[in-house]
Amino acid sequence: MNKKLIITLYTLIVVCIGFATVIEKYHGTGFVSEQIYGAWWFSALWAVLTMAAYAYIIKQHLYKRVAVMLLHMSFVVILIGALTTHLFARRGSIGLRSGISTSEYIDKEGNSQQLPFSLMLKEFRIVNYPGTDAPLDYQSIIQYAEGDLQPETEIVVSMNNIGHIDGYRLFQSNYDTDGQGVTLGISYDPYGVAITYLGYILLLVGIIATLMSRKTQMRTLYRKAIQPLAILLPFVLYASPIRANNDLQTVDKDIAHRMGTINVLYNNRICPLNTVATDFVSKLSGSASWKGFSVDEIFVSWMIYYSPWEKQKLIRVKNREVQQLLGINGQWASYSDFLDEYHEYKLENAVNALRAGVDTLDRKGLMEADEKFHMVEMFYQGQFIRMFPYRFGDAVNWYTPGGQSLPREIPVKEQFFIKQSMDYLTESIVTGQHDKAIEIIAKIKLFQREMIGEILPTESTGKAEIFYNTLRSQKWPVFLALTFSLLLCVTMLMSSYKGTWLRAVSLLFLVLLTVYVTLLLGLRWWLSGHIPVSNGHETMLFMAWVLLMITILLRQKFPMILGFGPLISSFCLLVAILAGSDSQITPLMPVLQSPLLSIHVMTVMCAYALFALQMLLGVQAFLLIQKKRNEELERVTALSQLLLYPAVFLLAIGIFLGAVWANVSWGNYWSWDPKESWALITLMVYAAPLHKASVGFFHKPHCYHIYMVGAFLAVIITYFGVNYLLGGMHSYA
């Protein structure tokens, strides 16, 4: 009876959290915080589940196993810490203006509360990335004093740097547009945080003890799984031919390439013009080239010979309704196709109707076409070629060629160069003066070095970025890898992985794919200046790399992994290239610059990689069940169960590292954000099979594998569903 109660309560909590994330989408965060997460009955569910679980542990004498006891005790301590925070923590916000002292803050209910000290803003400053206007950090210098004393003690509150005063924590929340005021978040929770952190420490100790214990099933599972096996499924590669066009006016390849190396300010970072060209052409056409022309040739030629290029059908429009509005046959449109005979935008009425809430057309298709049209408009406005920097003290402004409203502080000579150099370059290109064009390009680079030479990327960095742009914009290696991995796995399955040649081919493919992914990640890390785990594109790349590392490490003991690892890695690469604008390198938001965040994301992605492997092991198990290959089925099941331990432990560690990061960044270690909630759901879903000895359902291999295949849905919702359907603070990822 007690076991059934535990299973019922456990399932009920998972379902309640899942439904709460959906309800939040329609009724708001405040509603679910009050009616579900903060409700007495929700706390009661956790309390009853905890008591029932410990009654079962005592009944079964599981307390004699130290590792098991530590693990379960850690979750109890964490829950006690959460309850303490819920009951006794104080949170709110305080607005500060420069030179004005105050000791009152507004709590979550909107009531005014008194602080035991006074605060005054001495200075607020925004620190930008060198040479750009992108914010690197927001810093508030605060003076404080207790009682009636004049403020003398100073603290600095910035992103990822919380201020501490007598148990109160102050964190950066917002700032006034005039730069003379800030809004700080306030949190007072000395007991809940301490108890919760103690729970995290116990959890880590319990995980280590479990992995080292001889009383767990891991050693038995290892012995069962350490045998060769094979795996996998089929796919089709689609490729489109490229045709050359010799009739269109284009800039000389050498000149276009040299212009692609000129630095510009783009996405709040300094990068080669080639990066802009790559994003521009890829966004319009969906490819890194068009009719044999490189991105540099297309971008620069459109700048110079804009009239004939406006008529070239290089803009891909997939939606048929949009095609009808534009009056085109097929998927390809020119810029001119978007304008009628009066030079009016053909999609304007449809876009306005959509923004007004009238869904007359497919929203996604219309907005994609509208975005591509306005990219060309931005191109004509010069927003993609801000290539002339000028320093004003510590600040650097970037100007477009031919800028007409330059500040008077810029000397006449420099103003003339900014306004006229591109005209001279255009003239030399059109008239075929190759050497003169090269000379002007060199002068533009010299101008940049004289203005901000110390913060410009080095020549080697520029070449690396151009090489990276070539790699990231090519989709065929990913499709080739996906196709080859599927064909290889089918061959492995048919041959039961007995051929030496198959082992050699699979190993060679694994090495090549690992080199490719490592190169992508390494270049991105070098160019961005941070560990590449900050968005969907980067986390998918990292997950692909992790899977390949796991495959390399386990290939000797578990040859079956050679079928799974490259396949799932290739699928991750496919998702990465479908991530769109996420593939662009941009400066990190200030709050995302903490090393804790990188470790948190990497740990969670490692867990997801292992869950993906278990899902495919489940698919393989179904094939083995049909063929009645019981011995191989036992090994597959043992390997899946063996991987479950590190997968669940990594996810648990990742979740609580994320909680520490959130606590350091904005003073709150858990906020029931949809991403947090679904990560917890995923942890609870995958923790269930760890209790195989207590839950008879998992004793049967087919039941276990059905569960593991279905459980991967929780991972998909956590990673993709929350981002695209539920939103929340984590939707940037």
Side-chain angles (χ1 to χ4, degrees):
M1 181 64 185
N2 190 32
K3 188 189 300 183
K4 291 182 179 179
L5 176 63
I6 293 172
I7 295 173
T8 301
L9 290 172
Y10 194 87
T11 305
L12 185 58
I13 289 174
V14 170
V15 172
C16 284
I17 297 173
F19 271 113
T21 61
V22 177
I23 294 171
E24 182 177 354
K25 172 75 174 179
Y26 299 99
H27 295 281
T29 304
F31 179 84
V32 293
S33 296
E34 182 179 348
Q35 301 297 326
I36 299 179
Y37 300 132
W40 66 268
W41 59 266
F42 190 68
S43 298
L45 282 177
W46 283 105
V48 175
L49 173 63
T50 302
M51 290 186 290
Y54 266 85
Y56 182 79
I57 287 174
I58 293 172
K59 181 180 178 181
Q60 298 295 321
H61 302 287
L62 295 177
Y63 54 85
K64 295 180 180 180
R65 296 166 59 181
V66 177
V68 173
M69 197 62 191
L70 275 173
L71 273 179
H72 290 83
M73 179 60 72
S74 70
F75 287 109
V76 174
V77 175
I78 291 170
L79 287 173
I80 293 174
L83 182 62
T84 304
T85 295
H86 175 65
L87 295 176
F88 303 110
R90 284 177 275 171
R91 293 194 185 93
S93 62
I94 184 170
L96 299 178
R97 293 289 296 177
S98 182
I100 302 176
S101 178
T102 182
S103 59
E104 291 186 352
Y105 74 96
I106 306 300
D107 64 18
K108 295 176 65 176
E109 285 73 36
N111 301 319
S112 179
Q113 302 290 344
Q114 196 72 25
L115 291 170
F117 47 82
S118 61
L119 299 173
M120 184 177 71
L121 176 65
K122 179 180 178 182
E123 181 185 356
F124 172 75
R125 54 178 176 243
I126 300 176
V127 180
N128 293 330
Y129 284 91
T132 76
D133 53 5
L136 171 66
D137 199 4
Y138 305 108
Q139 298 179 349
S140 299
I141 301 176
I142 309 296
Q143 291 181 325
Y144 73 94
E146 298 181 3
D148 298 327
L149 297 176
Q150 291 295 320
E152 293 181 355
T153 309
E154 292 184 359
I155 60 170
V156 177
V157 179
S158 61
M159 306 305 295
N160 300 316
N161 182 40
I162 289 179
H164 297 267
I165 306 175
D166 296 341
Y168 287 83
R169 293 182 297 160
L170 311 176
F171 47 95
Q172 192 72 42
S173 179
N174 205 344
Y175 64 92
D176 298 346
T177 55
D178 62 0
Q180 299 300 308
V182 296
T183 300
L184 301 180
I186 288 185
S187 174
Y188 183 77
D189 183 23
Y191 309 113
V193 171
I195 296 172
T196 303
Y197 276 21
L198 175 61
Y200 295 166
I201 295 171
L202 287 175
L203 174 66
L204 181 60
V205 174
I207 287 173
I208 295 172
T210 301
L211 293 174
M212 296 179 64
S213 175
R214 296 184 178 182
K215 296 182 180 180
T216 64
Q217 297 183 12
M218 292 185 66
R219 295 177 183 270
T220 303
L221 293 171
Y222 177 81
R223 286 193 295 269
K224 288 182 179 180
I226 192 168
Q227 298 275 346
L229 277 177
I231 318 181
L232 289 214
L233 321 160
F235 191 73
V236 182
L237 173 65
Y238 169 79
S240 57
I242 298 177
R243 301 192 311 272
N245 187 334
N246 298 321
D247 300 328
L248 187 61
Q249 286 181 298
T250 59
V251 173
D252 178 81
K253 286 185 178 181
D254 180 53
I255 297 296
H257 171 71
R258 289 174 185 269
M259 289 191 67
T261 63
I262 296 175
N263 286 303
V264 295
L265 183 67
Y266 174 64
N267 277 341
N268 291 318
R269 58 183 290 267
I270 303 171
C271 64
L273 185 63
N274 173 266
T275 299
V276 184
T278 301
D279 290 344
F280 180 77
V281 176
S282 299
K283 189 69 175 180
L284 293 184
S285 67
S287 176
S289 62
W290 178 79
K291 292 190 176 180
F293 298 120
S294 69
V295 292
D296 290 331
E297 289 178 275
I298 296 170
F299 191 85
V300 177
S301 297
W302 199 332
M303 287 172 56
I304 307 299
Y305 306 109
Y306 57 88
S307 183
W309 278 89
E310 287 181 352
K311 299 179 176 61
Q312 301 306 308
K313 293 186 178 293
L314 57 78
I315 303 175
R316 192 173 187 181
V317 179
K318 300 178 183 179
N319 186 270
R320 291 187 177 182
E321 293 175 309
V322 177
Q323 293 171 13
Q324 292 175 356
L325 285 178
L326 297 178
I328 60 175
N329 295 318
Q331 295 188 354
W332 297 98
S334 67
Y335 172 74
S336 299
D337 288 328
F338 284 80
L339 305 172
D340 61 19
E341 62 270 26
Y342 304 106
H343 215 71
E344 298 290 335
Y345 181 36
K346 291 181 181 179
L347 302 182
E348 184 171 7
N349 291 336
V351 172
N352 290 338
L354 192 64
R355 289 170 178 165
V358 182
D359 293 335
T360 56
L361 294 173
D362 175 67
R363 172 180 291 271
K364 182 179 179 181
L366 179 59
M367 296 313 295
E368 282 182 355
D370 181 67
E371 181 183 9
K372 292 180 179 182
F373 171 79
H374 283 96
M375 275 196 69
V376 181
E377 293 287 286
M378 293 168 65
F379 168 76
Y380 280 138
Q381 293 165 10
Q383 296 186 34
F384 294 148
I385 46 175
R386 297 168 64 187
M387 64 172 60
F388 295 103
Y390 195 84
R391 187 187 295 277
F392 297 91
D394 294 332
V396 176
N397 290 349
W398 288 76
Y399 300 98
T400 59
Q404 299 301 315
S405 56
L406 299 176
R408 294 180 179 178
E409 293 83 354
I410 299 179
V412 174
K413 181 180 177 181
E414 281 74 12
Q415 288 206 27
F416 181 82
F417 186 80
I418 294 172
K419 292 179 179 180
Q420 300 298 326
S421 58
M422 188 57 70
D423 290 340
Y424 290 144
L425 178 58
T426 301
E427 180 184 352
S428 62
I429 291 173
V430 172
T431 57
Q433 300 179 64
H434 188 273
D435 292 340
K436 185 177 180 181
I438 293 176
E439 181 184 350
I440 296 173
I441 292 172
K443 287 182 177 180
I444 293 174
K445 292 183 176 181
L446 178 61
F447 177 89
Q448 292 181 339
R449 287 196 298 271
E450 290 177 347
M451 293 297 112
I452 55 166
E454 74 281 4
I455 59 176
L456 283 177
T458 63
E459 184 178 352
S460 60
T461 301
K463 290 180 179 179
E465 180 151 354
I466 292 173
F467 177 60
Y468 172 74
N469 291 334
T470 303
L471 281 182
R472 73 178 173 98
S473 60
Q474 299 294 332
K475 297 179 181 178
W476 67 265
V478 176
F479 286 113
L480 181 62
L482 186 56
T483 303
F484 190 79
S485 63
L486 285 163
L487 293 175
L488 183 62
C489 287
V490 170
T491 306
M492 290 168 60
L493 183 62
M494 294 174 62
S495 65
S496 297
Y497 197 71
K498 295 178 180 179
T500 305
W501 69 270
L502 188 57
R503 179 188 290 269
V505 170
S506 60
L507 186 58
L508 177 62
F509 174 61
L510 174 63
V511 171
L512 291 175
L513 188 58
T514 303
V515 170
Y516 174 72
V517 178
T518 303
L519 191 59
L520 283 174
L521 267 182
L523 284 171
R524 195 172 181 95
W525 190 342
W526 176 14
L527 297 171
S528 66
H530 60 78
I531 299 175
V533 289
S534 63
N535 56 37
H537 177 85
E538 292 180 348
T539 52
M540 280 289 100
L541 276 180
F542 180 76
M543 185 170 175
W545 185 81
V546 167
L547 284 161
L548 293 171
M549 291 298 105
I550 293 172
T551 304
I552 290 173
L553 292 173
L554 300 182
R555 74 185 192 284
Q556 294 289 352
K557 300 293 185 181
F558 311 108
M560 69 183 75
I561 207 77
L562 283 168
F564 284 123
L567 178 68
I568 308 176
S569 179
S570 298
F571 272 113
C572 290
L573 291 175
L574 179 64
V575 175
I577 67 173
L578 296 176
S581 60
D582 273 0
S583 64
Q584 300 173 3
I585 299 175
T586 58
L588 276 181
M589 296 166 55
V591 75
L592 303 182
Q593 293 164 9
S594 169
L596 277 174
L597 175 63
S598 299
I599 301 171
H600 155 67
V601 175
M602 289 189 292
T603 307
V604 170
M605 295 310 295
C606 287
Y608 289 170
L610 292 174
F611 291 147
L613 285 173
Q614 288 177 290
M615 183 271 294
L616 280 186
L617 282 170
V619 174
Q620 171 65 7
F622 296 149
L623 298 176
L624 295 174
I625 289 172
Q626 289 182 348
K627 295 180 180 181
K628 298 182 179 180
R629 290 157 63 174
N630 295 331
E631 185 177 348
E632 293 181 6
L633 174 62
E634 184 179 3
R635 296 190 198 110
V636 168
T637 304
L639 177 57
S640 178
Q641 292 172 343
L642 180 65
L643 293 175
L644 187 60
Y645 284 87
V648 171
F649 292 162
L650 283 170
L651 181 57
I653 292 170
I655 288 174
F656 296 122
L657 279 174
V660 174
W661 163 66
N663 193 43
V664 170
S665 297
W666 46 62
N668 188 12
Y669 61 85
W670 193 265
S671 60
W672 291 108
D673 179 76
K675 182 76 94 173
E676 295 174 353
S677 300
W678 271 99
L680 178 60
I681 289 173
T682 303
L683 178 64
M684 295 179 71
V685 166
Y686 277 98
L690 288 178
H691 299 79
K692 175 185 173 183
S694 303
V695 184
F697 174 81
F698 297 114
H699 289 176
K700 300 177 181 179
H702 68 279
C703 293
Y704 168 80
H705 288 294
I706 288 173
Y707 184 90
M708 295 307 292
V709 171
F712 195 66
L713 179 63
V715 176
I716 294 174
I717 294 175
T718 304
Y719 190 82
F720 296 105
V722 171
N723 289 354
Y724 298 108
L725 299 176
L726 299 178
M729 291 186 296
H730 290 73
S731 58
Y732 56 80

